[in-house]
Amino acid sequence: MKSDDWLTRQDSPEEFSSILHQRTEELYRIPDGEPDSEGFIEAPVLILRDIVVFPHMISPIFITPGPNLLAIQDAQFNFQTNIALVQRDPEVEEPHPNDLLPIGIEMAVGRLLSMPEGNSSALVQGRRRVEVVEFTQEEPFMKVKVRPIDEPTEVDRQTDALMRTARDLFDRCVQLDRSLPEEAHLFSLNIAEPGWLADMVATAVSLPFVERQSLLMLPDPQERLKRINRLLAQELDVLQLEDEIQSKVQNEVDRSQREFYLREQMKAIQTELGEGDIWTREIVEIRARVDEAGLPEEAKSAALKEVDRLTQMPPMAPEVGIIRNYLDWILELPWSQITEDNLDVTHAAKVLEEYHYGLGKAKDRILEYIAVRSLKPKRSKQPILCFVGPPGTGKTSLGRSIAEALGRKFVRVSLGGVRDEAEIRGHRRTYIGALPGRVLQTMRRAGTVNPLFMLDEIDKLGADFRGDPAAALLEVLDPEQNFAFSDHYLELAYDLSKVMFITTANTIMSIPLALLDRMEVLEFPGYIEEEKIEIARRFLIPRQMEESGLDIREVHFLDSAIRRIISEYTYEAGVRNLEREIGRMCRKVARMKSEHKHHPNRLGPNSVERFLGPPQFFQTQAESQDEIGVATAIAWTESGGDIMPVEVLILEGKGSMQITGQIGEVMQESAQAGLSYLKSRSRSLNISPDIYEHLDVHLHIPEGAIPKDGPSAGITIATALISAFTERKVYKEVGMTGEITLRGRVLPVGGVREKILAAHRAGLKTILLPERNMKDLIDVPKKVRDDLNIIPVNHMDQVLEVALHPEVEKPSRHRKPIAKEKDEGEKEQPEQAPPE
Ligand code: ADP
């Protein structure tokens, strides 16, 4: 080979390998240095800047003009090896002996091949490790005296284990590292010398320069193997990680390619079947609907984004349903549809009057509301109205009439039992089957942005761990916030500010305070019999007749019939059940008519029993006769008012008091207060003061086991107790309400109107009312006031005077010495007292 530039020539592969082979042969011919008598060899120094060529390894090196070139030329001139010494720091430009590692490699350097710019390259072959003894020359190139290091070649068990590990780790590296030729592992299997194996592996795998340096500096083969094993293990970790990442990436690529492929196929199939067109057409339609829906900017762009997502999907993808559902919601919610208010107050008054009897206060307030609106149409921040009253008192139907008067849509939603904020505000779309909350669902039904929106039963809202629905409701009702109501499902601001909200409740007591604060309460207190008859005659009967297909001229309800239904078939403050019973009668008549049977034209009290069966309730709930130990309280309940008998029984015992009948804490305290009062008045009531220790008191409030509480039964309990201990009977037609103090003072109570109406309904004649409650009678219809004897009271003495029979001079066990009393105890139990 004469050419000097074999690396730059374009030889064929065969030629190239034959040249390489030749070069290698030349290398082998260079003999190892011959040690002198002291065992040293001396040779010119070849400085390796940033590579390490281990013994047995052949590698090309690059040589710049300078000391290295001179050293090589000198060695070749003498047909000898060089000593390669590795720089400690590759950055040093002109290294001195101190800058070189003290262990080097004896190295054969092949023929120099010229390269551009005076540089050359050569193949080199490492022979063995050598230890520097001394530098014998520094200029123009270094010469060094070294001692060759003889490595042990025998393999003991530990070395064998280390070698196996090395081969095994190396094998795994070869499998993972694409840059390593597969034969490399085979090669490692054929190396029997431990040190050589370590060096060979160190050459093959890619190690940082410092690691190579330190491997060079380990002349002990075992040490070297240990270190190389550790490095291999690290390398393997890195390779495995790379491999994992690689295969993940690959998987991703594979999957998306697969999906792409399948989608293309599906498209092809759909086109074949003519379905692709349908889908495309559908999307075009949806897009057009979005464009034309008059959506506000934000909603429109959200909707269009979803449409875009649809176009990316095949029609059968599971998300399609979810997206379409969402789009349907956006499209079907009213965003701009609005009705124009009719703010004509005279017209409104006419409408309200047309459908409702009475309810003067509520109607007036509503007309004021409309009037204010007509004068200040923009920005009239009026309070939210809250209709409070027992069921069936016309709250909903008045709401409906207001909507009609204003020309607004009417919608209502019940909040009874709502405990989850999400019911108001919806669930996030990530939930399966998610929907908007009740507010937006109702708005969709309304179809306009300004309906009259009735929120029913806000007193029945609950709250639990799923968040407080009242808080969400506040946001709905608050004019400062509700122009941008946020629903979890819709995720768009929705404007509720044009809605007219009205809330309803049976009692203000359980309305969350924060809500109550924002509202103006209008009471719907319940009707007396005369009002009910009027409502039935004017509204309920005509409506029910029409619904059953009867003609008003054919059938006529007598007032006496209505009265009987009210008193014997219903027991309510409103007229809901009354209307239902009237409806039942109408249907019975209609059936007879259609079956061509004879039916009465005038419906009287007997027809009522004939059509509705035996009475459900009895005229009066009052006691049938005057009794000892039984007094009648009048109580307020959610469905209006009710009368409530209070019973006291005295038994022999040890002075304890037992209370039964679903009675709350406050009422129990009232009972204790009543008893204390009784004891403190023993003398004036002619009761022997030491009697109490030998008697037990049982207080019971029967009737339906509905929970009862509140202080207003105080005077009634005291009356029953005193009646039992003094054995004076209580007049049965007397009803009473009032809280009692320990000194017997009577304090005012709430719910007077309902209580008086209930007492009237129940047929009581005399009512004992705390004096400070007399002002409340203004709300009670005159008819009722005239029917009843209402007596103001301030003190228990007044109560007892009216409620109890006068004291009779007859022997009583409670006034006798205790010893005697025991003998006669049984037969004189108050309950068993003979009627007069
Ligand atoms: P609420 O909402 O208070 O429970 P509704 O409004 O449903 O009661 O009333 C029950 C029925 O009684 C309805 O058919 C209603 O029209 C009728 N009603 C109640 N009060 C009146 C009234 N003052 N005038 C005419 N109808 C009434």
Side-chain angles (χ1 to χ4, degrees):
M1 252 332 286
K2 56 231 166 297
S3 165
D4 276 338
D5 55 352
W6 59 280
L7 279 176
T8 55
R9 276 181 20 192
Q10 303 285 310
D11 294 309
S12 68
E14 296 77 36
E15 249 179 301
F16 180 79
S17 80
S18 102
I19 294 168
L20 198 59
H21 185 69
Q22 237 177 340
R23 298 282 177 215
T24 323
E25 292 244 296
E26 283 173 20
L27 278 176
Y28 280 105
R29 268 186 243 129
I30 301 170
D32 285 349
E34 191 69 45
D36 59 14
S37 55
E38 290 172 292
F40 301 143
I41 51 177
E42 194 183 3
V45 173
L46 175 62
I47 297 171
L48 300 182
R49 182 194 266 272
D50 54 5
I51 58 165
V52 178
V53 180
F54 291 102
H56 304 289
M57 300 302 132
I58 293 177
S59 164
I61 60 166
F62 180 77
I63 305 134
T64 50
N68 268 354
L69 187 61
L70 297 174
I72 290 172
Q73 285 166 341
D74 183 72
Q76 285 183 346
F77 183 78
N78 295 313
F79 196 54
Q80 71 167 130
T81 53
N82 284 91
I83 299 295
L85 292 179
V86 179
Q87 274 183 281
R88 292 176 196 270
D89 178 1
E91 301 294 316
V92 175
E93 283 301 328
E94 286 177 9
H96 292 280
N98 281 343
D99 295 322
L100 304 171
L101 292 178
I103 291 181
I105 309 110
E106 186 185 359
M107 198 174 264
V109 181
R111 200 171 346 145
L112 286 171
L113 303 166
S114 354
M115 306 232 343
E117 293 173 26
N119 297 321
S120 359
S121 80
L123 274 189
V124 298
Q125 180 198 34
R127 289 283 166 84
R128 52 186 165 179
R129 279 183 175 70
V130 294
E131 193 184 349
V132 173
V133 179
E134 63 175 320
F135 288 86
T136 52
Q137 171 184 314
E138 287 196 30
E139 294 292 340
F141 55 91
M142 289 184 222
K143 273 193 176 176
V144 72
K145 194 188 262 183
V146 297
R147 188 179 50 233
I149 301 174
D150 277 331
E151 287 186 7
T153 50
E154 73 279 8
V155 176
D156 58 16
R157 282 186 51 199
Q158 200 193 350
T159 316
D160 185 47
L162 287 169
M163 289 174 74
R164 281 165 197 261
T165 310
R167 289 193 186 109
D168 184 45
L169 288 170
F170 183 58
D171 179 27
R172 281 153 64 189
C173 284
V174 171
Q175 282 170 20
L176 289 174
D177 187 344
R178 278 153 228 258
S179 66
L180 287 175
E182 279 179 39
E183 316 82 75
H185 174 57
L186 263 183
F187 193 39
S188 76
L189 290 179
N190 288 317
I191 298 175
E193 285 176 33
W196 186 355
L197 177 65
D199 287 341
M200 178 262 157
V201 173
T203 307
V205 297
S206 57
L207 291 176
F209 179 56
V210 279
E211 294 296 351
R212 289 175 189 273
Q213 282 177 318
S214 61
L215 282 165
L216 174 68
M217 295 293 290
L218 287 174
D220 178 10
Q222 263 204 11
E223 288 303 310
R224 212 145 74 227
L225 275 172
K226 279 184 196 159
R227 181 162 204 124
I228 197 76
N229 283 351
R230 210 170 50 238
L231 292 170
L232 277 176
Q234 283 169 9
E235 173 74 3
L236 202 58
D237 267 355
V238 176
L239 285 172
Q240 266 162 354
L241 197 64
E242 273 179 3
D243 187 61
E244 267 168 39
I245 295 171
Q246 186 68 28
S247 56
K248 248 188 214 150
V249 170
Q250 192 57 40
N251 278 347
E252 286 294 307
V253 172
D254 287 352
R255 217 193 35 226
S256 68
Q257 272 177 351
R258 195 165 153 263
E259 266 176 27
F260 174 79
Y261 174 73
L262 288 176
R263 227 168 249 159
E264 287 302 301
Q265 244 184 357
M266 181 133 81
K267 262 193 216 157
I269 294 172
Q270 279 159 1
T271 326
E272 268 314 293
L273 295 173
E275 278 173 6
D277 296 351
I278 298 176
W279 180 226
T280 324
R281 228 178 302 138
E282 248 178 274
I283 293 178
V284 170
E285 265 166 36
I286 296 173
R287 198 186 292 277
R289 272 175 72 202
V290 171
D291 280 333
E292 289 154 17
L295 301 178
E297 247 345 285
E298 191 201 6
K300 186 169 174 179
S301 71
L304 286 176
K305 216 165 91 195
E306 297 299 315
V307 176
D308 285 343
R309 284 182 60 203
L310 273 188
T311 57
Q312 308 289 317
M313 291 178 188
M316 294 305 159
E319 289 106 314
V320 167
I322 296 171
I323 296 179
R324 295 189 66 157
N325 208 12
Y326 178 70
L327 284 170
D328 279 346
W329 272 103
I330 294 189
L331 288 170
E332 281 168 27
L333 271 175
W335 295 93
S336 50
Q337 298 84 334
I338 189 163
T339 53
E340 197 177 327
D341 278 347
N342 180 348
L343 296 174
D344 179 348
V345 179
T346 344
H347 164 77
K350 221 181 100 211
V351 173
L352 296 187
E353 218 44 62
E354 199 174 317
Y355 296 105
H356 291 91
Y357 172 86
L359 301 177
K361 271 192 191 168
K363 287 177 185 167
D364 283 348
R365 180 65 188 86
I366 288 152
L367 294 177
E368 284 163 23
Y369 187 101
I370 297 175
V372 171
R373 235 169 213 268
S374 70
L375 298 178
K376 260 179 81 185
K378 294 254 154 61
R379 303 254 113 227
S380 64
K381 287 239 169 81
Q382 301 210 54
I384 309 276
L385 298 178
C386 176
F387 293 177
V388 177
T393 46
K395 300 183 292 296
T396 313
S397 79
L398 193 68
R400 224 179 264 282
S401 294
I402 301 170
E404 187 182 326
L406 288 170
R408 288 187 181 217
K409 282 273 171 53
F410 177 81
V411 279
R412 58 192 278 242
V413 66
S414 174
L415 300 176
V418 167
R419 347 187 92 249
D420 187 350
E421 194 201 352
E423 291 199 45
I424 307 259
R425 228 192 246 295
H427 283 288
R428 301 213 173 277
R429 259 193 293 159
T430 40
Y431 280 80
I432 295 189
L435 280 181
R438 294 194 186 193
V439 171
L440 287 194
Q441 293 192 20
T442 310
M443 286 309 288
R444 174 159 96 164
R445 263 192 287 131
T448 60
V449 296
N450 65 335
L452 192 157
F453 192 136
M454 208 164 214
L455 295 154
D456 280 339
E457 304 197 297
I458 54 159
D459 52 339
K460 308 275 190 311
L461 271 182
D464 63 14
F465 62 95
R466 286 166 292 190
D468 183 1
L473 207 56
L474 270 179
E475 199 185 311
V476 171
L477 296 178
D478 183 359
E480 304 289 332
Q481 302 184 48
N482 69 4
F483 61 87
F485 174 67
S486 70
D487 181 281
H488 291 325
Y489 177 84
L490 199 67
E491 288 179 331
L492 292 170
Y494 187 84
D495 183 359
L496 289 171
S497 65
K498 300 195 178 59
V499 177
M500 174 174 175
F501 288 105
I502 292 182
T503 61
T504 79
N506 289 142
T507 162
I508 57 167
M509 289 200 263
S510 41
I511 300 177
L513 263 181
L515 273 175
L516 193 57
D517 271 357
R518 314 261 161 134
M519 300 187 299
E520 179 179 330
V521 171
L522 287 185
E523 296 203 43
F524 286 59
Y527 304 111
I528 60 164
E529 193 175 84
E530 272 60 36
E531 290 171 324
K532 288 182 182 177
I533 292 174
E534 200 60 34
I535 293 171
R537 229 194 271 145
R538 284 176 31 192
F539 304 99
L540 309 182
I541 294 172
R543 183 158 60 229
Q544 290 303 323
M545 296 249 259
E546 198 199 315
E547 279 186 12
S548 323
L550 294 175
D551 193 326
I552 316 190
R553 282 159 308 186
E554 301 176 89
V555 185
H556 178 69
F557 277 83
L558 295 176
D559 280 3
S560 53
I562 307 173
R563 212 180 287 279
R564 189 161 186 207
I565 302 178
I566 293 170
S567 60
E568 294 179 31
Y569 292 82
T570 64
Y571 194 71
E572 60 179 349
V575 293
R576 187 171 288 172
N577 295 330
L578 175 60
E579 179 165 19
R580 198 185 57 217
E581 297 302 324
I582 290 172
R584 271 175 67 198
M585 281 185 73
C586 291
R587 287 192 296 279
K588 295 250 153 88
V589 175
R591 178 163 168 202
M592 291 173 87
K593 195 182 143 195
S594 70
E595 288 171 351
H596 302 292
K597 288 188 187 149
H598 172 73
H599 65 85
N601 290 13
R602 289 158 60 85
L603 302 174
N606 292 337
S607 309
V608 173
E609 186 154 351
R610 180 173 158 206
F611 290 119
L612 299 183
Q616 314 271 319
F617 301 95
F618 293 94
Q619 174 72 37
T620 158
Q621 299 260 305
E623 296 299 313
S624 52
Q625 55 193 13
D626 298 350
E627 303 254 17
I628 290 174
V630 182
T632 306
I634 32 182
W636 182 92
T637 68
E638 281 191 20
S639 54
D642 209 342
I643 64 163
M644 187 170 80
V646 175
E647 300 177 353
V648 171
L649 191 62
I650 302 178
L651 308 158
E652 298 200 6
K654 297 200 174 62
S656 70
M657 178 151 80
Q658 191 193 357
I659 304 176
T660 53
Q662 296 254 341
I663 288 163
E665 251 170 58
V666 180
M667 208 181 268
Q668 303 210 11
E669 280 167 17
S670 285
Q672 293 294 350
L675 190 62
S676 299
Y677 171 74
L678 164 67
K679 287 178 182 173
S680 73
R681 299 298 300 256
S682 298
R683 228 150 58 110
S684 62
L685 291 166
N686 285 332
I687 304 169
S688 140
D690 42 26
I691 197 89
Y692 305 107
E693 293 163 33
H694 305 280
L695 296 172
D696 281 348
V697 176
H698 183 177
L699 175 94
H700 180 63
I701 303 188
E703 280 307 296
I706 38 166
K708 306 170 224 17
D709 203 7
S712 74
I715 61 169
T716 322
I717 294 171
T719 305
L721 279 167
I722 293 167
S723 160
F725 276 94
T726 58
E727 298 184 349
R728 288 164 69 182
K729 291 184 178 172
V730 184
Y731 289 105
K732 67 176 183 340
E733 73 274 12
V734 174
M736 57 190 93
T737 179
E739 187 177 343
I740 187 177
T741 70
L742 284 177
R743 286 147 192 250
R745 279 190 37 235
V746 178
L747 303 182
V749 293
V752 170
R753 188 191 141 118
E754 284 84 353
K755 284 176 174 173
I756 302 280
L757 292 188
H760 185 247
R761 234 179 3 248
L764 298 178
K765 295 282 178 295
T766 303
I767 305 299
L768 299 178
L769 193 68
E771 190 169 316
R772 275 161 61 194
N773 278 125
M774 291 302 278
K775 62 173 179 7
D776 301 326
L777 289 178
I778 194 160
D779 291 332
V780 177
K782 182 163 184 312
K783 163 88 172 66
V784 174
R785 273 183 284 158
D786 289 349
D787 284 355
L788 295 171
N789 177 21
I790 301 173
I791 302 173
V793 287
N794 259 327
H795 194 274
M796 263 321 278
D797 291 347
Q798 295 166 291
V799 175
L800 296 178
E801 199 167 310
V802 180
L804 296 187
H805 281 223
E807 216 168 337
V808 281
E809 276 309 326
K810 68 167 186 176
S812 162
R813 56 176 186 149
H814 303 321
R815 295 176 212 171
K816 287 183 197 166
I818 296 152
K820 263 191 182 177
E821 184 230 332
K822 275 191 175 159
D823 306 333
E824 299 167 22
E826 284 299 299
K827 64 175 183 268
E828 282 209 347
Q829 288 283 324
E831 276 241 312
Q832 289 161 0
E836 305 218 313

